[in-house]
Amino acid sequence: MGIESFFANKQGFVATKLDNLINNVVNWGRQSSLWPYPFATACCGIEFMGVVSNTHDVARFGAELVRFSPRQADLLLVAGTITYKMAPVLKRIYDQMLDPKWVIAFGVCAASGGFYNNYSVVQGIDRIIPVDVYLPGCPPRPEAFFDALIALQEKIKGEKITRHDREQRPQLRPESDTSWKVPVVDPAQRAIRRGE
Amino acid sequence: MVATFDVKERLRQRFAADVLHADRAGGMESITVKKDRIVEILGFLRSEPDLAFDFLSDLGGADGMRLDWPQWRDRFQVVYHLRSMKHGRRLRIKASVPESDCRMPSVTGLWKSANWMEREVFDLFGVHFDGHPNLKRILCHHKFVGHALRKDYDIHQGQWLDETESMMDEIGEYGENPDDGGFSELVPVNIGPAHPATHGTLRLFAKLDGETVVRVSPEIGYLHRGFEKHSESGSWTMVIPYTDRLNYCSAMLNNVAWCHGVEKMLGIEVPERTQYIRVIVSELSRIIDHAVCVAAMLVDLGALTNFWYLFNLRERIYSILEELCGARLTSTYVRIGGLAYDLNEGFIDQVRAILRDIPKNVGDVIALIKKNRIFLDRTVGVGAVSKELALSYSWTGPCLRASGVAFDLRKSDPYLGYENFDFEIPTYEDGDVYSRAMIRFDEIVQSMRIIEQALDRLPSGPIFSEDKRVHLPDKDKVYGSIEGLMNHFVLVYDGIKVPKGEGYHPIEAANGELGFYTISDGSGRPYRVRCRPPCFTIYSGYSEIAAGSMIADAVPILSSFNIIAGELDR
């Protein structure tokens, strides 16, 4: 919270100039070294393997350091269909990621449910978690993914680091099912974690 | 001996009161029986030497609520597809289950693979199986209300879930000592579903003693996308895109499996050129599938270099397929009665070029691992599966052949003219992770042989059957004649009308026997589509095979099965 809270309380011309400078530098760092967490569930996950492999090489965009721990990642890539059974897992992983964090809905299934309009599939992950970039395609081509990545980088460029990240986050879809609770940890599993 | 073969009569002699109906539809004997003595009936069919239906190919359900067939007496039917490994025959047994008494005996005592398949029937149709060791939902989540594949369940009725299942009922009390207040020295560990080693959608819950897995229980269904329900809501052609996304590593093979099954029900023979093209794209898909499987497995073992080598190969085949059909992964190339397009210009040269390069690509990988001490230590003798165990779990495909059973539908029940190609079925004896990895390399070589022969002999000619029931007429006929116009109109509006009946015509997919059990009521929409996914049965053996291994070995065992979640959960 160092830089962000320091500049949040400063006023005046010099502070504003400095603020802009710091803002640009920090955002440049953030946009050029995104650490993705590939939440790959289905076909799009296979195509994401094509994105990281040598032919297309996501390293050209500084996002090649794939992390499988949500605590080390700042870009959640939801690649694949999210079912109702998977929804609590996705929500939990998103909540475990530290701010600042961004989400790309990779493919139509993640963006809208795709052509799986049925009893089992969540009709868009924006009913559960906020989404920054929607990437259509079934699955999207690797080039399309790079387009989405550049769009996200542009978005990050315009963000204010002094504002709390939560306020800048995109909204959930309005017709979201509000009766749905935030998932809770199973008491039995909590007992295991504590070693009880 | 074969001349006297009559399953129907043998069953009538022995179980006269239980046999309700028998017919022969779609090239397979189909017998409807009463549900109460199903275990005796299947046991009889299995143990009699002249019948020897010892392989449970598939077990599924069907809801006859909107079906007015006289032979369909009760609402539900539980369908068993049997195969005799000795005689190479297939048989369909259907147990009739009324809605009022929705329970029947479990056959888990006869085949271990019945465990998961019966759970699936329970989950999706609500048929209870008495004597089942662990009858609970498998594809839908544990708080789901109702049964999704019943005809009166609305396809759009989703049900939110707020917490994942604890699975403590399966694993929780295991190893606890009641005298010690329930204390256990075993450590429960949850792996997945969002875990790199479980490839995204599989969940394992294990109890460990130190580093040894004492007991492990998989949970699946995280990618259950309602393929079967969707297939029943559209026309026969509209199923093709959904089949792409079953085994998304080899979408062409799924397309071929679906269209082949429907063509058999229609009684259509596709032109020779189509058959050859289907064989070529199938084998290309098989190569990709095997390459991805081995690549992912080697990544799990820490050998990332091989991943790049094999993915180079995959990318090149994808660019060929993309030029052919416009999509990299999800091809939707095959049509009922033919193909979407003919081969593009230069396809043959591209394929020949890649066939020249595959030995180099694959050879590099083999050279890196074949004498690699780490690879050998971690794979040889790990997760060994005996022939008997593999058959009891209804394994097919490379995993079964790695255990020493030379069962390949391309040889045993040839389709698409596979009998005209010269190729071998590689087998290994040990059934360990090493065999399951190496057999995939051997199969890549065999697939290359098939492609070479197919390219050499590729005939010219039409790519679509001339049958009016499936073939859209040429535009000049549509605009120039009333017959053509009507034919076009009917095909577009009503879709392909498959005659009443049922069919099951499996093919050899990359993971094993892939078939669609379909019921048609003649309306132009599939009444029931049941997919027989090869990795479902393979994965059902995991908890028995991985128990007792080291936790580090449990991961390569899992990846050597090549579990594709889209196919597993459908």
Side-chain angles (χ1 to χ4, degrees):
Chain A
M1 297 302 281
I3 290 175
E4 294 145 34
S5 53
F6 177 75
F7 281 102
N9 303 323
K10 297 292 174 198
Q11 300 289 326
F13 177 74
V14 177
T16 314
K17 275 285 183 198
L18 207 57
D19 183 9
N20 281 344
L21 180 68
I22 299 281
N23 207 51
N24 291 344
V25 170
V26 171
N27 275 343
W28 172 77
R30 284 177 177 174
Q31 78 188 47
S32 319
S33 67
L34 287 163
W35 288 23
Y37 177 101
F39 194 87
T41 61
C43 341
C44 290
I46 302 290
E47 200 62 339
F48 181 72
M49 285 156 85
V51 168
V52 292
S53 70
N54 29 7
T55 311
H56 297 287
D57 198 7
V58 72
R60 294 179 289 155
F61 300 87
E64 81 278 20
L65 201 59
V66 173
R67 297 281 96 182
F68 285 99
S69 166
R71 291 171 216 280
Q72 298 171 353
D74 53 8
L75 169 61
L76 181 62
L77 272 177
V78 185
T81 316
I82 300 300
T83 60
Y84 289 112
K85 196 171 184 172
M86 190 60 114
V89 181
L90 175 62
K91 173 78 177 159
R92 180 107 151 258
I93 285 191
Y94 178 76
D95 290 345
Q96 284 178 345
M97 287 173 67
L98 303 179
D99 281 327
K101 54 187 172 185
W102 299 275
V103 178
I104 293 183
F106 189 116
V108 280
C109 282
S112 70
F115 75 167
Y116 290 102
N117 181 8
N118 64 22
Y119 62 91
S120 182
V121 175
V122 176
Q123 300 300 303
I125 55 165
D126 52 3
R127 297 175 175 226
I128 318 168
I129 58 173
V131 176
D132 292 276
V133 179
Y134 296 86
L135 171 57
C138 188
R141 295 184 50 87
E143 293 88 337
F145 172 73
F146 296 138
D147 192 39
L149 198 62
I150 293 167
L152 182 67
Q153 288 177 338
E154 290 297 317
K155 187 178 179 187
I156 293 171
K157 201 188 272 181
E159 286 182 353
K160 293 285 277 184
I161 61 160
T162 49
R163 276 168 60 192
H164 198 279
D165 290 292
R166 277 173 202 278
E167 293 167 21
Q168 307 189 60
R169 235 172 249 162
Q171 296 294 306
L172 290 180
R173 201 190 288 193
E175 71 268 35
S176 291
D177 187 349
T178 46
S179 67
W180 191 59
K181 301 193 298 272
V182 174
V184 292
V185 181
D186 193 304
Q189 289 183 353
R190 188 179 291 146
I192 295 164
R193 201 175 300 154
R194 287 195 198 129
E196 285 167 10
Chain B
M1 196 177 80
V2 180
T4 59
F5 169 77
D6 191 349
V7 184
K8 205 165 51 191
E9 282 314 308
R10 292 292 306 275
L11 269 184
R12 281 220 169 101
Q13 282 165 16
R14 181 76 187 269
F15 303 95
D18 292 291
V19 178
L20 294 171
H21 181 82
D23 56 29
R24 190 175 171 81
M28 198 188 294
E29 201 82 43
S30 176
I31 300 171
T32 312
V33 298
K34 285 185 187 165
K35 65 188 170 79
D36 296 318
R37 293 180 70 193
I38 189 74
V39 179
E40 286 95 327
I41 293 170
L42 294 183
F44 169 77
L45 290 169
R46 180 187 158 129
S47 57
E48 288 295 298
D50 60 330
L51 304 173
F53 288 102
D54 51 357
F55 186 75
L56 179 66
S57 186
D58 188 26
L59 193 166
D63 179 3
M65 190 185 178
R66 304 209 173 114
L67 215 54
D68 53 355
W69 296 359
Q71 69 266 32
W72 202 286
R73 302 184 187 203
D74 300 311
R75 178 166 175 186
F76 300 107
Q77 283 193 342
V78 176
V79 186
Y80 303 83
H81 281 99
L82 308 177
R83 190 180 191 280
S84 163
M85 283 296 187
K86 194 166 139 197
H87 305 299
R89 297 192 199 99
R90 286 183 182 275
L91 175 67
R92 181 184 303 130
I93 298 286
K94 299 191 285 184
S96 193
V97 183
E99 195 180 2
S100 55
D101 178 25
C102 212
R103 50 194 328 120
M104 64 179 294
S106 162
V107 296
T108 40
L110 294 173
W111 292 283
K112 290 180 175 177
S113 57
N115 185 328
W116 278 24
M117 298 202 234
E118 284 180 352
R119 273 176 70 185
E120 190 189 321
V121 175
F122 165 71
D123 182 3
L124 300 177
F125 291 96
V127 178
H128 291 257
F129 291 90
D130 297 322
H132 190 285
N134 179 29
L135 193 66
K136 61 180 209 176
R137 289 188 182 271
I138 188 162
L139 294 182
C140 296
H141 58 73
H142 62 294
K143 290 189 176 171
F144 197 86
V145 181
H147 301 285
L149 277 187
R150 287 190 174 187
K151 285 286 173 188
D152 48 5
Y153 190 89
D154 178 21
I155 185 171
H156 299 304
Q157 196 186 331
Q159 300 184 20
W160 284 97
L161 175 70
D162 49 15
E163 54 184 331
T164 46
E165 194 186 350
S166 72
M167 292 183 68
M168 295 305 271
D169 56 330
E170 284 186 48
I171 218 99
E173 288 173 14
Y174 183 78
E176 286 186 0
N177 185 359
D179 302 334
D180 204 6
F183 179 75
S184 166
E185 289 191 346
L186 304 181
V187 182
V189 173
N190 182 67
I191 309 166
H195 188 278
T198 60
H199 299 197
T201 27
L202 315 170
R203 181 182 172 203
L204 303 170
F205 200 37
K207 269 217 164 166
L208 308 181
D209 178 13
E211 279 199 55
T212 310
V213 178
V214 183
R215 193 182 170 98
V216 58
S217 190
E219 194 199 5
I220 67 166
Y222 284 100
L223 194 57
H224 176 56
R225 305 192 271 197
F227 164 76
E228 294 176 4
K229 191 88 174 171
H230 258 303
S231 306
E232 293 160 20
S233 67
S235 70
W236 292 83
T237 317
M238 283 158 73
V239 178
I240 299 172
Y242 288 108
T243 62
D244 282 337
R245 289 149 183 87
L246 288 174
N247 183 345
Y248 32 72
C249 288
S250 53
M252 289 284 191
L253 279 160
N254 304 313
N255 291 171
V256 172
W258 170 253
C259 295
H260 176 74
V262 179
E263 283 155 12
K264 286 278 178 193
M265 286 182 79
L266 282 158
I268 291 176
E269 211 40 62
V270 291
E272 212 184 355
R273 182 174 172 85
T274 309
Q275 290 195 3
Y276 272 81
I277 296 175
R278 283 185 184 182
V279 166
I280 294 168
V281 293
S282 296
E283 297 305 322
L284 282 174
S285 294
R286 199 184 308 276
I287 291 173
I288 304 177
D289 196 285
H290 287 345
V292 172
C293 168
V294 181
M297 189 188 128
L298 290 168
V299 169
D300 287 345
L301 291 172
L304 195 63
T305 319
N306 305 288
F307 180 80
W308 307 129
Y309 283 175
L310 288 167
F311 261 59
N312 263 345
L313 168 69
R314 189 192 85 134
E315 283 293 335
R316 287 193 55 192
I317 299 185
Y318 271 163
S319 35
I320 294 177
L321 293 182
E322 188 186 1
E323 212 165 312
L324 177 65
C325 67
R328 284 157 54 84
L329 248 77
T330 46
S331 50
T332 320
Y333 175 60
V334 183
R335 294 286 185 274
I336 298 166
L339 300 166
Y341 326 96
D342 205 338
L343 295 182
N344 56 301
E345 207 177 309
F347 177 87
I348 294 171
D349 296 335
Q350 286 168 335
V351 175
R352 281 197 197 281
I354 202 159
L355 286 182
R356 275 196 301 276
D357 294 350
I358 289 175
K360 169 91 174 68
N361 259 308
V362 174
D364 282 350
V365 176
I366 294 178
L368 276 172
I369 62 172
K370 190 101 189 213
K371 289 180 182 165
N372 186 320
R373 178 74 191 277
I374 302 170
F375 177 73
L376 294 179
D377 280 355
R378 293 204 58 188
T379 55
V380 175
V382 172
V385 183
S386 71
K387 207 182 275 189
E388 294 73 28
L389 190 67
L391 285 171
S392 180
Y393 274 114
S394 298
W395 281 22
T396 48
C399 291
L400 178 67
R401 295 192 280 273
S403 293
V405 183
F407 173 53
D408 189 321
L409 290 173
R410 290 175 293 174
K411 280 274 191 219
S412 63
D413 315 22
Y415 56 95
L416 290 181
Y418 268 109
E419 64 274 20
N420 303 325
F421 293 102
D422 175 29
F423 66 103
E424 285 151 25
I425 310 176
T427 52
Y428 280 72
E429 286 306 314
D430 303 331
D432 52 1
V433 175
Y434 178 81
S435 312
R436 286 195 284 272
M438 292 323 254
I439 199 163
R440 291 196 158 88
F441 289 122
D442 294 353
E443 292 201 357
I444 288 178
V445 175
Q446 298 303 322
S447 292
M448 287 165 55
R449 280 179 68 187
I450 297 173
I451 297 172
E452 266 164 20
Q453 294 170 45
L455 288 176
D456 288 342
R457 304 207 299 254
L458 183 67
S460 56
I463 54 156
F464 226 97
S465 162
E466 287 299 314
D467 197 303
K468 283 195 169 53
R469 291 172 298 169
V470 295
H471 185 226
L472 277 177
D474 299 331
K475 284 289 176 224
D476 57 333
K477 281 187 191 151
V478 176
Y479 296 124
S481 74
I482 188 69
E483 292 81 15
L485 182 65
M486 281 166 67
N487 189 3
H488 189 276
F489 182 83
V490 167
L491 258 183
V492 170
Y493 265 72
D494 293 352
I496 294 167
K497 287 206 167 166
V498 177
K500 280 185 191 179
E502 46 199 336
Y504 178 70
H505 302 279
I507 69 157
E508 183 75 23
N511 267 339
E513 178 179 323
L514 171 70
F516 295 93
Y517 168 58
T518 43
I519 300 177
S520 172
D521 57 357
S523 67
R525 281 161 189 253
Y527 181 80
R528 166 88 176 106
V529 176
R530 146 97 188 145
C531 170
R532 189 257 185 233
C535 49
F536 189 80
T537 53
I538 292 172
Y539 195 35
S540 69
Y542 181 75
S543 62
E544 185 172 341
I545 294 154
S549 67
M550 306 287 277
I551 181 92
D553 291 341
V555 174
I557 294 174
L558 175 63
S559 40
S560 71
F561 288 173
N562 193 21
I563 307 296
I564 307 289
E567 184 181 74
L568 177 76
D569 298 340
R570 281 154 288 145

